[in-house]
Amino acid sequence: MVVVNPADGSMRVIGSAFLTGQGRHAVTAKHVIDAVPSGWELHAGLAGPDVDRADVQVHASFIYIPCDLLDEDARSDLALLELRMPPDATSVALTVTVAPVNGGSTEELDEGRTGPFKIAKGRLADGTEVATSGFPLAAPALVTTAGTLASKFAPLDPADPDAGMRHLCDLTATGGNSGGPVYRVSDGALVGVLVAGKLSPLAGGVGAQSVGLTLVTPSQDVVELLVRNGIEPDRYKALPPQPKKAHPRKKR
C-alpha cells in the first residue's frame, strides 16, 4: 500500500495488502489505513514481474491502482478496499515495458494477470510452515520471510473474553509488513493477515517475556468481512462453469 500526495506527486509505502474475493478488492490492516495522512490518496501497488537477464534487468516494478475504503473492523484490525477498476474487470495485466541496456528496441513482457488469494480451508495445525510477503523497507521492494504457526488460538487479552483471538506465528516482520498476507508454504492458501508483533509474558516470570511473535488475524475474519459486504470469498464460485472435457482414454 502506498499513499500519494496530489500536491507534488510524492509517494511513500505505508504497509502491505493483498487481493481477495474476485480480484477487485484488497484487504489490509485497519491501522495501516488509519495512518494515511489527511489529503493524501490511497493506492494499491501491484508488484510487476522481476526481470533478470543479461540484457535487461527490472526490479521493483509496480502498477499503482487508486482505491477506496469500503469497510473496516476495529476488533479484527482489518480494512477492506475496493480498487478503482472498470465494472467488469477482475484482474490487472502484469506487463512491463523494458529497453535493453545496450540499446535496441523496447520489449513488452507479459507476466499474466493479478489474482486473489485462495483462503485456507480445514483445520490448521500448530507447526504448519507459513510465510508472509510484504513491504517492510523504505524502498518499494517485496520481501518474503518464512516461519511456523506457533499457536492457532492466542487471546489478545486473557482478562477480556470479548477481545478476540489471533494466530501467533514465529516469523520475522516489521511495521511495513502490517496488512500483508500470511499463507501456507505448501499451497499458498491464506492463513490470515499480519497485524502486529507481540511480546508474551512467560509463565512464572515477573516481567519476563518471550521472544517476539507475530500476531495474525485468522482468515475466517477476512471471510466474514467479505460476506457482510456482499463479496463471494471463494474466487472460483463466481466464475462461469467450464465445459467438462472428456478424458483422452475415455470413449464417448
Side-chain angles (χ1 to χ4, degrees):
M1 300 304 302
V2 300
V3 287
V4 177
N5 185 348
D8 58 11
S10 60
M11 65 172 59
R12 72 170 186 254
V13 177
I14 61 169
S16 304
F18 58 94
L19 295 176
T20 188
Q22 303 306 311
R24 297 179 54 85
H25 299 86
V27 167
T28 186
K30 178 183 180 298
H31 72 264
V32 169
I33 303 302
D34 292 341
V36 176
S38 178
W40 287 52
E41 297 176 349
L42 185 64
H43 287 63
L46 307 178
D50 283 345
V51 182
D52 192 5
R53 300 186 335 207
D55 60 333
V56 175
Q57 290 190 347
V58 177
H59 300 284
S61 173
F62 292 87
I63 300 169
Y64 295 103
I65 307 292
C67 52
D68 302 299
L69 178 62
L70 188 62
D71 195 6
E72 57 186 5
D73 185 81
R75 183 174 177 273
S76 60
D77 194 13
L78 295 181
L80 178 63
L81 308 172
E82 184 171 17
L83 278 63
R84 297 181 194 169
M85 298 165 60
D88 57 346
T90 58
S91 64
V92 176
L94 294 175
T95 58
V96 59
T97 301
V98 299
V101 293
N102 296 324
S105 59
T106 59
E107 179 182 358
E108 188 172 87
L109 303 179
D110 184 356
E111 293 295 321
R113 305 185 71 87
T114 58
F117 264 85
K118 65 178 180 179
I119 297 177
K121 297 180 180 179
R123 299 181 61 184
L124 294 170
D126 290 353
T128 297
E129 292 184 334
V130 296
T132 186
S133 298
F135 300 89
L137 307 179
L142 182 65
V143 176
T144 297
T145 57
T148 59
L149 179 63
S151 175
K152 292 181 294 182
F153 303 108
L156 283 178
D157 183 357
D160 182 5
D162 296 324
M165 305 291 287
R166 296 286 189 272
H167 295 325
L168 282 180
C169 291
D170 182 13
L171 49 77
T172 302
T174 61
N177 285 110
S178 289
V182 176
Y183 50 92
R184 278 194 305 236
V185 172
S186 61
D187 61 358
L190 182 74
V191 170
V193 184
L194 195 150
V195 292
K198 183 179 179 65
L199 292 175
S200 300
L202 295 175
V206 179
Q209 297 196 331
S210 71
V211 295
L213 294 170
T214 300
L215 280 172
V216 175
T217 295
S219 59
Q220 181 57 38
D221 288 339
V222 176
V223 171
E224 292 175 2
L225 184 62
L226 293 173
V227 169
R228 84 181 189 194
N229 284 277
I231 301 168
E232 170 55 59
D234 190 331
R235 61 177 176 174
Y236 296 111
K237 283 189 177 180
L239 298 177
Q242 299 296 314
K244 294 183 178 180
K245 295 181 179 179
H247 192 282
R249 294 183 180 178
K250 187 176 180 180
K251 294 183 180 180
R252 292 184 179 273

